[in-house]
Amino acid sequence: QVQLAESGGGLVQPGGSLRLSCAASGSISGINAMGWYRQAPGKERELVAYILSGGFAYYVASVKGRVAISRDNAKNMVYLQMNSLKPEDTAVYYCKGGSNVVEMHSGSWGQGTQVTVSS
């Protein structure tokens, strides 16, 4: 089973940018859906974005236009470029994968990477 490790979080001022990275321990070429989730303090975990192997990408309305998800199958990496960050983007961000979106939602979660947007 491919293990995923998130990195790239940090403290950034409102309006700033961050690029999150998700490194897979094995090939992601056969993993159709790769996505990013986040969980803010006191809130439920939510899907932020996902990308399918064919290139289709989905974004939750609150990040649309500010965030871009990408995948590099050759490097077994998934990225989340976040721009124009807002305080409400503060959360722990997690990377997940699955043969479809339903499977992507299931299974265990990694450590995540903390994103804090604050002045």
Side-chain angles (χ1 to χ4, degrees), residues 1-5 22-31 34 71-78:
Q1 188 173 356
V2 174
Q3 303 297 316
L4 302 173
C22 172
S25 62
S27 175
I28 65 169
S29 298
I31 302 176
M34 295 295 305
R71 60 191 293 170
D72 186 337
N73 290 348
K75 296 182 179 179
N76 298 318
M77 296 289 295
V78 182

Side-chain angles (χ1 to χ4, degrees), residues 1 3 45 95-96 104-110:
Q1 188 173 356
Q3 303 297 316
R45 189 175 284 137
C95 176
K96 290 290 295 297
M104 187 180 68
H105 289 326
S106 65
S108 60
W109 297 86

